[in-house]
Amino acid sequence: MAAGRPAPGLLRPRGRARRSLTDNKPPPPPQDGRPTSHPAAAGRRAASYGSPEGDAAYRYARHRPRTPGGAGEMEVQRMRGRTAAGRQGATGRACASRAPGTFLTALRPQRAGGRSLSRCRARRPARHFRHAAAPLREQVGAPALRGRPGPGAREAAPGRCRDSPRRSPHLASPQLLLPPSRRRPSMAVFDTPQEAFGALRPACVQLTRAQTMENVARLQAHLAAVSASALQELQEYVLFPLRFALKVPGPKQERLVQSVVQCISSVLAATCVKKQELLQELFSELCTCLSPPSSSSNPAPLSEELKLAVIQALHTLMHSAYGDVIWSLYQPSALPLLGFAVSLLLGLAEQEKAKQIKISALKCLQVLVLQCDCQEHRHLDEDEAQQCGDLFASFLPGISITLSRVITGDIKQGHKPTVSAIRLFYLIVGLVMADAQLATIAKNKEKLPVEESRISELMVHRGPDWSKSTAEKLSLLLHKMVEFSSVHPHWKVRLELVELVHHLLRNCSQSLVDSFSHLLKALVGLVNDENGEVQSRCKEVLQGIAEQRIVAQNRALADVLSENLHSLATALPRLMNSQDDTGKVSTLSLLLGYLKLLGPKINIVLNSISHLHRLSKALMQVLELDVTDVKIVEDRRCEGVCGPSGSLQHGVQKGRCQKKYFRFFTEEKIFQLLQQVCRVLGYYGNLYLLVDHFMGLYSESGMYRKQAAMVLNELIAGAAGVGVDVLQEREVSLNMDDLKGSIISILDEYTDQANWYLITSIDTEEISHEHSVQHSGLTARPGGACSSVLLPSPEPHVTTRTMNSNIWQICIQLEGVGCFAAVLGKEFRLLLLSALYPVLEKAGDKTLLISETALGTLVDICKACSYDSLQCLINENSDYLVNGISLNLRQLAHQPHASQVLDTMLRHSNASLLPLVEDVIQDVLSALDQSYNNQASTFLRVLHSVMTALVQWFGSSCGEEHQQRQTPEWWSGTLSQGQQVVTRQEVEQFFLDYVRQKQIAEGDLPDTRDEEADEVLPLAEPEPNNSDTEGETPLPSHAQLAKDVMERCIHLLSDGNLRVRLKVLCTLAEKCGDFLRQRFSKDVLPKLTSSLLSQAPASARAGPVYNHTLAFKLQLAVLQGLGSLCEKLDMGESDLNKVADACLIYLSAKQPMKLQEAAQSVFLHLMHMDPDSTWLLLNEVCCPHQYEPPHISLRPVKLSGMGRQRNEFTNNVLLLLERLQQQESVMPQAGTQEASPP
């Protein structure tokens, strides 16, 4: 360093201290007495700051006309010295505080030799210039920051990212705002301040002379070649001409202002602002760009590009503040400036139409309130948060109201402004209304000194009165915002609403307690949102609330939830009756969410009589079933169709998936929500209290009985923790003794005779039986308890609605038994004495829905009690069951259902059961002998099950052969044999046999006895006769049982009831076809066909009511059984023709649909027996094709059905012909596959 020159670190700025740009006082006059506007004074002031303005003023004064020795000459001489010093000293001093010696070293060679010698110096990394600033401030004695510790006290400040001078992660690089030719290259050309100064100085001087877009673009282009470290040293030097361009009086072009602001933004993005005064001045100048001048009465609106550029510049400025410099904006003295910026940004966010401006304004405002989303920012500590809360409380009304208008604005603005507004709302409200801050604030406001009293008038004291008043006003805004945002079509808005509730509930659970009725309603309602992310986040938030026990430890919140629950339960029936399915799902989700949030505190609601009564009645009304479906009553169980395994699987699969139909809703999801409501009640609530209350509703009225039973079933499942979804564990674990006691009381009520034996059919026998049961008082029933509840006397004419309701009640009670078994597990074995017998009764019920539901319950019992199968369950408990059947058979007048238990046992067991039930079957036969008149139909089902079981257990070769004949394999084998060569003798024998069979069918039987003897003798010859002449060999037990059953059936053929006769015929025909064929052909078939023909016109003319008459049911029974009866009896051709003629009329479309389907089933059986005759008969009615002879010598085929127009028979006939064609196409294909060589 040259001698006589002071050290760079000891330099002090010369001249007067610069005044703040926000100071409204006029600048003081210069020391030489010249006016402020004089260019020399301006140059001197600018040179003292090291700005290029000094050079411009110097040249202006130099070329100014002057007289020798006059004031002008003296001015030039003075300016020469001052501007030279400005070039070397003052300009260097502006940067000396940041890098000692570098700036002066760069200037000295320039002034002396005109060339820079800085290239000889070693280049240092950019961070070295940054860290050199701290020791320089200590050396030059820089004043400490006002009221804050030095930058070395902490690593970073809230308003500043890292120390590295890089661009903010929030904004796109300012270079993107420039054309590609003007963008900064990736590798900087000038890495040192000396080189950068030499490159930037001409552009800065030129911009100071003339504020044009070209000069700004030139400076921007030069800035692109300067490294961030070098630009940091020249920050104020570069910013001066840009700020000067903004402050020049007079109108300015918007494009010029925009380019200047973008250039400032690029400089700030690459550097750090380390001076409080510079930060405040830049902040004020940028805000002024958005505000029209006060002098103009009607200013022109600013362009959207300029607004966006200024917002981005403000955003960058806030991120460029170094260390604690940012806190200069958050002092009480800066409150007016901060409020000015807040009002400008809020106005842009609310009034602007451009979506990008709205979003940028909201994000800039979020940074301004120190709630930036940058990951590099640290959270505010307690003192800093308290200071910001006190400061921002003044702005809370304006911010909250404006943001609420933005959130509830036109949906056309898009989802991004709404999301940003919601985020800013809960961040600022959560900061100002934080419970932790409000708890430390004194009740009365502290008195401030006189000089600060004016500023203190703008500050808000967040005392209890202010907090209460503000919370009430925020509650109104939150209610409006929640209603709008919870149904917003975009999922990100709903997701941000979840974050709002979470943030406020976590930070303001005390101060905003009145608002949480709306917030929790929104949160719970979004649990079942259609978007998966919203659902999962809702569940996470609810789970967090439960785990942190926010509600459990806050009695005020629990009271709010209780009141909301009571209000919702009151309105629930009305809402379920008026809303659509989507609204009902939302309402029930809200109800379920309230219960989950209350958790263990749910007993607060249940212990209140008003709350419990309102909630239970709401559930009773909502769960009301629709009992108008006639199909449930008409569907009857098919007997003898499938074996034990088949019937069991059928019952389990269909009974469990039987859908319930409710009066107020149809969506399955709604029923699942109601199930969860009941299970959550059972999980958290007092089980004894709930069971007692709903048992009272069960006994109170038949109107509530089905709903109460459903609720009781779900309460038990929830109490056991089965299928219940909760947010937190209960405080007291479940006591199994209490659970078992509740189950026993419910089970006794379910199986009481008044609730178990209900009228489910219009059969005369069943009505009389149920009527006698209900009026018999207390009767003996194994393992069951009888209640003293008296039902009203049944009406003489039982309606379909009543029977339907009774069927559903029994099914719900059966489901309850299965649920109880699943809950208790093996402990349920102790209750089998009272539960198994009634369930087996219902498994043998005629009503299809009841029997299938009972089978499903039996499967549940098997799984719960660890039985391998239903067969094992029956066999291991057969002694108890057999004893109950024997006792009840002696009291048929009061216990007519004992035969159903035996029926179920036989259908679902094996031959090992026969020795145990053999005596019981004899008791059944004895009881039948004593009650032919009124119990015949009931006992016939048991006898049918006995015969079916004997065939399955001990085998039947004839039955197997008959079943084999119906399989495709038998047909394929026959066809494969038919493809062999046929001789003339075989064809002749075929026709002789045909003629003989035809004569037999027509009744021409002159030598019947001889033929039968001839047929029997060859079969009897090989059988040895080892029987003793004095006695016969005793029959096996199962054969003796079959013989006894057949003897009873023979006597029943003459029963006066047509149904009984049909059942007997079907039972005998199934296994004894040859015995009954001739008698059926002569005595029974003519009556059946004549009955069908006589009733056909009446059924064709009848309306829908005819389906419920006895005549319809008789027609349906005859048609459903006639086809299978003819096939089992192997009827002859003439009889089959009679059956076809009688059933053909029922193929008319005028007949009821069920009669049409039954008639189709008859023709399907006829197709198996005689497909040719059936085909010919159907084509005589309707022939869809024309048949051309294969040769001209043959006559064309003419059928009556050819060329006919469509009529009432066409649809069904075409359907049958198609089925016949499919049957014939399958059989030849099977035969071809069998006959084809391997």
Side-chain angles (χ1 to χ4, degrees):
M1 183 171 295
R5 188 175 298 278
L10 299 178
L11 291 176
R12 294 289 187 271
R14 298 179 60 186
R16 298 178 56 87
R18 84 165 103 171
R19 72 182 172 89
S20 173
L21 295 177
T22 58
D23 194 357
N24 295 325
K25 296 180 179 180
Q31 295 179 354
D32 54 3
R34 287 185 174 87
T36 305
S37 59
H38 197 278
R44 183 169 61 254
R45 288 195 304 274
S48 66
Y49 289 100
S51 66
E53 187 181 358
D55 293 286
Y58 172 72
R59 290 182 176 85
Y60 171 76
R62 183 176 182 180
H63 294 86
R64 182 180 179 185
R66 58 188 182 277
T67 59
E73 183 67 24
M74 296 173 61
E75 178 182 11
V76 170
Q77 296 295 332
R78 188 162 44 251
M79 286 295 296
R80 284 177 179 174
R82 293 300 298 271
T83 53
R87 293 193 187 101
Q88 177 179 347
T91 306
R93 287 193 299 272
C95 298
S97 62
R98 289 173 291 280
T102 57
F103 203 10
L104 293 180
T105 306
L107 290 179
R108 191 182 307 114
Q110 271 190 337
R111 191 183 63 148
R115 292 183 301 174
S116 174
L117 302 178
S118 60
R119 297 182 184 271
C120 299
R121 300 190 54 177
R123 298 182 180 179
R124 292 181 293 176
R127 62 178 182 272
H128 291 173
F129 293 93
R130 172 70 47 84
H131 295 297
L136 176 64
R137 274 197 297 269
E138 296 177 1
Q139 184 179 7
V140 300
L145 299 178
R146 289 178 290 181
R148 307 297 300 176
R154 60 187 69 198
E155 296 179 1
R160 172 67 206 162
C161 295
R162 299 281 179 159
D163 289 344
S164 59
R166 56 183 176 183
R167 293 178 177 86
S168 170
H170 293 278
L171 295 178
S173 173
Q175 302 297 319
L176 299 179
L177 304 175
L178 301 174
S181 59
R182 299 183 182 179
R183 294 178 185 174
R184 180 176 300 179
S186 58
M187 294 298 293
V189 178
F190 306 106
D191 290 339
T192 62
Q194 295 87 341
E195 298 171 349
F197 181 76
L200 295 177
R201 181 176 175 275
C204 293
V205 172
Q206 188 66 24
L207 180 59
T208 307
R209 288 178 177 178
Q211 293 79 31
T212 62
M213 293 186 60
E214 292 76 10
N215 292 337
V216 176
R218 184 179 298 107
L219 176 59
Q220 181 77 16
H222 284 78
L223 289 173
V226 178
S227 66
S229 59
L231 186 60
Q232 177 66 46
E233 302 298 328
L234 304 175
Q235 182 192 53
E236 293 188 54
Y237 183 84
V238 176
L239 287 177
F240 179 84
L242 297 172
R243 296 171 57 193
F244 183 77
L246 293 178
K247 292 187 293 183
V248 170
K252 292 180 284 294
Q253 295 181 0
E254 283 193 359
R255 295 183 62 188
L256 173 62
V257 177
Q258 178 185 346
S259 61
V260 170
V261 170
Q262 290 175 348
C263 190
I264 293 176
S265 181
S266 64
V267 173
L268 295 176
T271 60
C272 297
V273 178
K274 298 183 178 182
K275 290 186 177 181
Q276 297 180 0
E277 293 82 359
L278 179 61
L279 176 65
Q280 293 183 4
E281 291 170 2
L282 286 173
F283 190 83
S284 175
E285 291 164 3
L286 290 175
C287 291
T288 306
C289 294
L290 292 175
S291 176
S294 57
S295 59
S296 57
S297 59
N298 189 14
L302 302 178
S303 65
E304 295 180 351
E305 292 79 5
L306 176 59
K307 295 176 183 177
L308 185 59
V310 174
I311 294 172
Q312 291 176 342
L314 283 172
H315 192 283
T316 308
L317 175 64
M318 297 299 297
H319 281 82
S320 67
Y322 177 82
D324 289 336
V325 174
I326 189 69
W327 285 104
S328 63
L329 292 176
Y330 299 97
Q331 302 298 325
S333 58
L335 190 63
L337 178 60
L338 194 62
F340 178 53
V342 169
S343 62
L344 288 175
L345 293 174
L346 286 176
L348 292 175
E350 180 184 6
Q351 300 171 4
E352 284 297 323
K353 301 299 182 182
K355 181 168 64 174
Q356 186 61 33
I357 295 180
K358 298 172 78 73
I359 298 173
S360 299
L362 290 170
K363 288 186 176 180
C364 185
L365 193 58
Q366 184 177 341
V367 176
L368 191 60
V369 297
L370 299 181
Q371 299 294 326
C372 183
D373 293 332
C374 286
Q375 299 297 328
E376 299 177 351
H377 286 171
R378 65 175 180 84
H379 294 288
L380 301 176
D381 57 26
E382 295 183 3
D383 295 337
E384 293 168 347
Q386 188 79 20
Q387 180 180 350
C388 291
D390 293 337
L391 195 67
F392 297 144
S394 303
F395 309 138
L396 183 62
I399 293 177
S400 59
I401 293 174
T402 304
L403 291 179
S404 66
R405 288 199 290 260
V406 174
I407 295 171
T408 59
D410 192 354
I411 201 172
K412 295 179 181 179
Q413 68 181 354
H415 72 280
K416 290 185 178 180
T418 307
V419 170
S420 300
I422 294 176
R423 182 181 295 113
L424 179 58
F425 184 92
Y426 70 72
L427 288 175
I428 187 66
V429 173
L431 178 65
V432 177
M433 301 297 294
D435 297 333
Q437 295 186 29
L438 297 179
T440 60
I441 294 177
K443 184 176 181 180
N444 297 323
K445 186 176 182 180
E446 298 180 0
K447 293 184 178 180
L448 297 177
V450 179
E451 59 272 10
E452 299 181 6
S453 60
R454 185 174 182 183
I455 295 296
S456 65
E457 293 178 359
L458 302 177
M459 298 287 292
V460 171
H461 179 66
R462 294 185 292 167
D465 296 337
W466 178 88
S467 301
K468 182 179 179 181
S469 174
T470 305
E472 293 176 355
K473 297 172 183 177
L474 287 175
S475 179
L476 300 176
L477 297 179
L478 285 170
H479 179 55
K480 182 180 179 182
M481 290 165 49
V482 164
E483 284 189 346
F484 182 86
S485 302
S486 59
V487 295
H488 197 279
H490 203 280
W491 65 272
K492 287 188 177 180
V493 175
R494 303 194 299 272
L495 182 62
E496 201 63 32
L497 179 61
V498 176
E499 299 297 337
L500 179 144
V501 179
H502 181 225
H503 187 85
L504 296 183
L505 187 59
R506 183 179 57 187
N507 297 299
C508 312
S509 59
Q510 300 290 339
S511 59
L512 297 180
V513 66
D514 295 335
S515 302
F516 281 101
S517 60
H518 314 305
L519 299 179
L520 291 176
K521 179 180 179 181
L523 182 63
V524 173
L526 293 174
V527 171
N528 296 308
D529 192 84
E530 60 185 11
N531 183 267
E533 292 190 29
V534 178
Q535 280 189 15
S536 60
R537 182 56 183 156
C538 262
K539 292 178 182 178
E540 291 177 6
V541 172
L542 289 174
Q543 190 73 34
I545 293 173
E547 291 176 354
Q548 297 172 12
R549 303 180 64 82
I550 295 178
V551 177
Q553 297 176 358
N554 191 339
R555 181 59 187 266
L557 265 181
D559 292 340
V560 169
L561 287 176
S562 301
E563 292 302 321
N564 290 351
L565 185 62
H566 184 271
S567 302
L568 183 59
T570 303
L572 188 61
R574 175 180 57 82
L575 295 175
M576 296 298 289
N577 194 22
S578 59
Q579 291 179 328
D580 58 0
D581 285 348
T582 304
K584 293 172 184 177
V585 170
S586 301
T587 302
L588 291 176
S589 299
L590 182 62
L591 176 63
L592 179 59
Y594 285 157
L595 296 176
K596 288 182 178 180
L597 286 175
L598 282 171
K601 294 292 183 180
I602 204 171
N603 287 313
I604 298 177
V605 178
L606 300 181
N607 291 332
S608 171
I609 298 178
S610 173
H611 284 68
L612 181 58
H613 177 77
R614 178 59 60 189
L615 181 61
S616 60
K617 284 300 179 68
L619 291 175
M620 294 299 100
Q621 296 179 40
V622 171
L623 285 171
E624 184 178 352
L625 287 168
D626 182 10
V627 292
T628 58
D629 189 8
V630 184
K631 293 182 179 180
I632 296 177
V633 180
E634 291 183 342
D635 289 343
R636 315 300 285 172
R637 181 170 61 86
C638 298
E639 301 174 8
V641 175
C642 51
S645 60
S647 60
L648 177 61
Q649 292 296 328
H650 179 71
V652 172
Q653 293 176 2
K654 189 172 181 180
R656 288 187 176 180
C657 65
Q658 179 64 40
K659 182 179 179 181
K660 297 180 178 64
Y661 294 93
F662 295 89
R663 180 180 176 185
F664 294 110
F665 60 88
T666 58
E667 187 71 27
E668 184 67 21
K669 187 176 182 180
I670 298 176
F671 179 57
Q672 294 173 359
L673 287 172
L674 288 169
Q675 284 181 311
Q676 281 296 315
V677 167
C678 299
R679 291 182 182 181
V680 171
L681 284 173
Y683 185 81
Y684 289 119
N686 187 336
L687 185 60
Y688 274 128
L689 173 64
L690 291 169
V691 169
D692 181 72
H693 181 77
F694 284 99
M695 286 292 289
L697 294 176
Y698 179 90
S699 306
E700 178 181 332
S701 171
M703 182 184 301
Y704 295 150
R705 188 164 292 121
K706 297 180 293 298
Q707 301 93 300
M710 282 190 283
V711 173
L712 287 169
N713 297 343
E714 302 301 334
L715 286 176
I716 296 298
V722 177
V724 60
D725 182 19
V726 294
L727 299 176
Q728 55 184 319
E729 297 295 329
R730 48 191 164 194
E731 297 176 347
V732 181
S733 60
L734 177 66
N735 189 341
M736 290 302 297
D737 292 335
D738 295 342
L739 182 63
K740 188 185 297 184
S742 299
I743 288 176
I744 291 174
S745 63
I746 298 174
L747 193 59
D748 290 342
E749 191 71 22
Y750 280 0
T751 56
D752 183 84
Q753 291 193 4
N755 302 322
W756 196 255
Y757 301 106
L758 304 174
I759 300 174
T760 59
S761 175
I762 59 175
D763 293 342
T764 307
E765 296 175 2
E766 186 173 349
I767 291 179
S768 62
H769 296 162
E770 308 297 356
H771 189 281
S772 63
V773 167
Q774 292 184 2
H775 285 273
S776 60
L778 301 179
T779 58
R781 179 173 53 82
C786 294
S787 173
S788 60
V789 179
L790 297 179
L791 297 179
S793 302
E795 300 176 358
H797 302 287
V798 182
T799 62
T800 303
R801 184 184 183 89
T802 302
M803 292 185 291
N804 199 343
S805 177
N806 293 340
I807 291 172
W808 275 119
Q809 180 181 336
I810 294 173
C811 290
I812 293 170
Q813 294 171 168
L814 285 169
E815 292 173 354
V817 176
C819 175
F820 303 157
V823 164
L824 292 180
K826 289 187 177 181
E827 294 291 330
F828 193 76
R829 288 196 176 200
L830 302 176
L831 303 180
L832 287 178
L833 293 176
S834 60
L836 184 56
Y837 189 96
V839 175
L840 287 173
E841 278 184 349
K842 296 306 177 184
D845 196 275
K846 292 182 180 180
T847 306
L848 181 63
L849 183 59
I850 294 177
S851 63
E852 291 177 346
T853 306
L855 287 176
T857 302
L858 289 173
V859 173
D860 292 336
I861 294 175
C862 290
K863 292 180 179 179
C865 300
S866 300
Y867 288 106
D868 294 335
S869 63
L870 182 55
Q871 175 181 321
C872 295
L873 173 66
I874 293 174
N875 290 347
E876 293 188 19
N877 296 277
S878 58
D879 52 350
Y880 144 70
L881 296 173
V882 168
N883 182 55
I885 295 172
S886 300
L887 292 176
N888 290 334
L889 283 175
R890 301 171 187 173
Q891 302 178 4
L892 284 177
H894 305 298
Q895 293 290 341
H897 303 282
S899 59
Q900 296 179 4
V901 182
L902 180 59
D903 180 24
T904 306
M905 293 175 64
L906 292 172
R907 286 190 292 116
H908 300 288
S909 188
N910 55 12
S912 62
L913 183 67
L914 184 60
L916 299 175
V917 300
E918 186 174 358
D919 295 337
V920 178
I921 295 175
Q922 293 295 336
D923 293 341
V924 170
L925 295 176
S926 301
L928 177 61
D929 294 339
Q930 299 174 5
S931 57
Y932 273 109
N933 294 332
N934 52 5
Q935 295 289 337
S937 178
T938 302
F939 285 113
L940 275 178
R941 287 191 298 165
V942 183
L943 299 181
H944 184 270
S945 298
V946 170
M947 297 300 296
T948 304
L950 291 178
V951 171
Q952 292 172 349
W953 295 345
F954 301 100
S956 174
S957 58
C958 299
E960 292 176 359
E961 180 182 356
H962 176 73
Q963 292 178 359
Q964 254 186 351
R965 294 177 59 187
Q966 309 303 324
T967 59
E969 289 77 4
W970 182 86
W971 284 98
S972 63
T974 304
L975 290 172
S976 63
Q977 294 176 4
Q979 291 177 357
Q980 300 175 359
V981 179
V982 181
T983 62
R984 181 177 60 83
Q985 291 81 5
E986 290 175 345
V987 174
E988 181 180 0
Q989 185 63 36
F990 170 77
F991 283 105
L992 290 175
D993 292 340
Y994 175 76
V995 172
R996 178 170 169 273
Q997 291 294 334
K998 186 175 181 180
Q999 291 176 352
I1000 294 174
E1002 293 175 353
D1004 187 6
L1005 302 173
D1007 298 330
T1008 304
R1009 295 181 181 178
D1010 296 340
E1011 292 177 359
E1012 289 180 355
D1014 294 340
E1015 292 177 0
V1016 174
L1017 285 176
L1019 295 175
E1021 286 178 0
E1023 294 181 1
N1025 189 4
N1026 297 329
S1027 60
D1028 193 2
T1029 56
E1030 297 180 357
E1032 297 181 357
T1033 302
L1035 295 174
S1037 59
H1038 63 275
Q1040 186 62 43
L1041 280 177
K1043 179 181 178 182
D1044 295 339
V1045 171
M1046 296 300 295
E1047 290 177 351
R1048 266 68 174 190
C1049 291
I1050 293 294
H1051 294 296
L1052 290 173
L1053 281 174
S1054 59
D1055 193 272
N1057 192 339
L1058 177 59
R1059 292 190 178 186
V1060 174
R1061 295 200 301 271
L1062 281 175
K1063 288 183 179 181
V1064 173
L1065 282 176
C1066 293
T1067 304
L1068 294 177
E1070 187 172 0
K1071 302 302 175 185
C1072 309
D1074 296 338
F1075 174 74
L1076 294 176
R1077 184 185 301 113
Q1078 185 177 357
R1079 188 170 180 181
F1080 176 80
S1081 176
K1082 288 187 177 181
D1083 298 339
V1084 180
L1085 185 60
K1087 295 182 180 180
L1088 292 178
T1089 54
S1090 62
S1091 175
L1092 289 175
L1093 291 172
S1094 62
Q1095 292 293 333
S1099 60
R1101 296 191 304 267
V1105 183
Y1106 184 76
N1107 295 353
H1108 307 293
T1109 62
L1110 183 60
F1112 170 82
K1113 296 185 181 298
L1114 288 175
Q1115 287 175 288
L1116 185 62
V1118 172
L1119 289 172
Q1120 288 178 342
L1122 190 56
S1124 59
L1125 191 61
C1126 292
E1127 189 171 1
K1128 291 172 183 177
L1129 292 177
D1130 196 13
M1131 302 296 294
E1133 184 178 1
S1134 60
D1135 293 331
L1136 294 180
N1137 291 336
K1138 294 178 182 178
V1139 172
D1141 293 337
C1143 296
L1144 183 62
I1145 193 173
Y1146 287 93
L1147 294 178
S1148 171
K1150 298 179 180 180
Q1151 297 289 340
M1153 183 56 64
K1154 286 193 174 183
L1155 295 183
Q1156 296 181 44
E1157 294 174 355
Q1160 292 176 11
S1161 68
V1162 174
F1163 279 94
L1164 291 176
H1165 284 285
L1166 296 180
M1167 291 176 187
H1168 285 284
M1169 301 177 66
D1170 193 355
D1172 297 335
S1173 299
T1174 307
W1175 178 87
L1176 182 60
L1177 176 63
L1178 295 175
N1179 276 277
E1180 290 290 340
V1181 178
C1182 177
C1183 183
H1185 305 290
Q1186 297 290 334
Y1187 297 98
E1188 299 294 336
H1191 195 267
I1192 56 175
S1193 62
L1194 299 176
R1195 294 183 179 181
V1197 179
K1198 292 183 180 181
L1199 299 174
S1200 302
M1202 289 183 177
R1204 286 189 179 181
Q1205 296 181 353
R1206 295 182 64 89
N1207 52 32
E1208 59 194 78
F1209 298 96
T1210 303
N1211 290 337
N1212 288 323
V1213 170
L1214 293 178
L1215 178 63
L1216 290 172
L1217 289 174
E1218 183 180 357
R1219 293 286 297 274
L1220 180 58
Q1221 184 178 1
Q1222 293 175 357
Q1223 174 182 322
E1224 291 180 347
S1225 62
V1226 169
M1227 292 179 180
Q1229 290 178 4
T1232 304
Q1233 294 176 0
E1234 292 289 338
S1236 62

